[in-house]
């Protein structure tokens, strides 16, 4: 019996050595922008930008036992319903941290876009190649993991419930590429920047692949 247990333990150990690999970080250093990853369009689920000159990145979660789960934290694409005849708001949101061993001042970044009632996922995919200037969109920063993020999931029909407590300001965004699979998954790559008072969000770039479970329309 002891020999069987030893064989089983050895087998599990060998299995982990062979197959339990961490998901890739998919970070490819941009020589022109230290601390940022180059703009890619491969569904790498990587996003980087500067906030007042400090490089931020979406976090990486280590996988559980046997290499399950883990990888770059995936954003959410959600629609916040406006009250009455007020336009709805499309929110592309992801957590951020400083791209070094330094305490982060911000926990979430959100790009907020007004959209008409009934705006559908295929209409979002049609925005591929479109540029939107700062008089159209808003960028929001959440300083802490606070009620502004949780209230969105608890009360998704409240107007602007995602970022009502978060500092925000005008934002530019360029959707370099958006594609939608037959099952409703979305791949997107883009560039963004914005200003919130004296806080400058610059040189932003993202490369995301969202399955339907991360899309809340």
């Amino acid at each position: 019996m002891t020999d069987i247990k030893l064989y089983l333990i050895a087998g599990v150990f060998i299995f982990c050595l062979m197959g339990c690999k961490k998901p890739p970080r998919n970070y490819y250093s941009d020589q022109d922008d230290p601390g940022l990853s180059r703009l890619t369009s491969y569904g790498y689920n990587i996003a980087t930008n500067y906030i007042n000159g400090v490089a931020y990145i979406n976090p990486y979660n280590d996988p559980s036992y046997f290499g399950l789960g883990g990888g770059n934290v995936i954003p959410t694409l959600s629609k916040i319903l406006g009250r009455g005849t007020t336009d709805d708001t499309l929110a592309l949101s992801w957590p951020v941290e400083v791209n070094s061993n330094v305490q982060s001042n911000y926990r979430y970044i959100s790009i907020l876009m007004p959209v008409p009632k009934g705006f559908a996922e295929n209409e979002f995919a049609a925005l591929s190649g479109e540029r939107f200037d700062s008089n159209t969109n808003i960028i929001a920063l959440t300083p802490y993991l606070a009620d502004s993020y949780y209230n969105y999931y608890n009360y998704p029909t409240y107007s602007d419930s995602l970022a009502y407590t978060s500092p925000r300001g005008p934002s530019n965004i360029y959707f370099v590429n958006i594609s939608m699979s037959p099952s409703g998954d979305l791949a997107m790559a883009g560039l963004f920047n914005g200003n919130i008072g004296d806080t400058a969000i610059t040189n932003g770039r993202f490369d995301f692949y969202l399955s339907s479970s991360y899309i809340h329309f």
Side-chain angles (χ1 to χ4, degrees):
M1 183 64 71
T2 301
D3 289 342
I4 294 175
K5 289 182 179 179
L6 289 175
Y7 285 132
L8 287 174
I9 293 172
V12 170
F13 179 72
I14 293 171
F15 172 78
C16 284
L17 287 178
M18 296 179 62
C20 300
K21 296 181 180 178
K22 281 188 173 183
R25 185 53 161 138
N26 292 326
Y27 176 87
Y28 299 96
S29 181
D30 189 330
Q31 301 303 311
D32 296 323
D33 295 314
L36 304 188
S37 186
R38 299 194 303 267
L39 174 66
T40 55
S41 185
Y42 297 106
Y44 283 161
N45 281 324
I46 189 84
T48 55
N49 60 275
Y50 292 127
I51 301 178
N52 285 343
V54 177
Y56 277 75
I57 189 170
N58 58 322
Y60 180 93
N61 287 334
D62 286 324
S64 61
Y65 293 111
F66 304 110
L68 299 176
N72 293 342
V73 176
I74 301 172
T76 57
L77 180 65
S78 311
K79 187 164 63 172
I80 303 168
L81 303 182
R83 291 192 177 101
T85 59
T86 304
D87 281 347
D88 294 340
T89 300
L90 203 63
L92 179 63
S93 307
W94 63 93
V96 295
E97 63 184 13
V98 175
N99 193 14
S100 63
N101 295 321
V102 178
Q103 178 66 40
S104 298
N105 292 326
Y106 302 98
R107 298 295 298 274
Y108 281 88
I109 190 166
S110 302
I111 297 173
L112 309 175
M113 302 175 56
V115 293
K117 298 290 187 184
F119 187 83
E121 187 177 345
N122 64 316
E123 293 177 277
F124 177 77
L127 299 179
S128 182
E130 295 289 331
R131 299 174 185 264
F132 298 90
D133 58 29
S134 58
N135 64 359
T136 304
N137 303 314
I138 290 172
I139 196 163
L141 291 173
T142 303
Y144 305 101
L145 189 57
D147 56 359
S148 63
Y149 190 74
Y150 283 115
N151 279 346
Y152 166 67
Y153 285 103
N154 293 329
Y155 308 105
T157 59
Y158 280 22
S159 176
D160 200 16
S161 57
L162 173 67
Y164 76 97
T165 62
S166 301
R168 48 187 164 163
S171 172
N172 301 307
I173 185 168
Y174 170 35
F175 289 110
V176 176
N177 181 61
I178 305 174
S179 60
M180 185 173 67
S181 73
S183 62
D185 297 349
L186 284 172
M188 68 184 82
L191 303 168
F192 67 95
N193 58 52
N195 288 279
I196 303 174
D198 295 331
T199 301
I201 300 97
T202 56
N203 296 64
R205 68 283 307 265
F206 59 80
D207 178 9
F208 294 142
Y209 185 92
L210 284 70
S211 66
S212 56
S213 62
Y214 291 90
I215 302 169
H216 308 293
F217 271 47

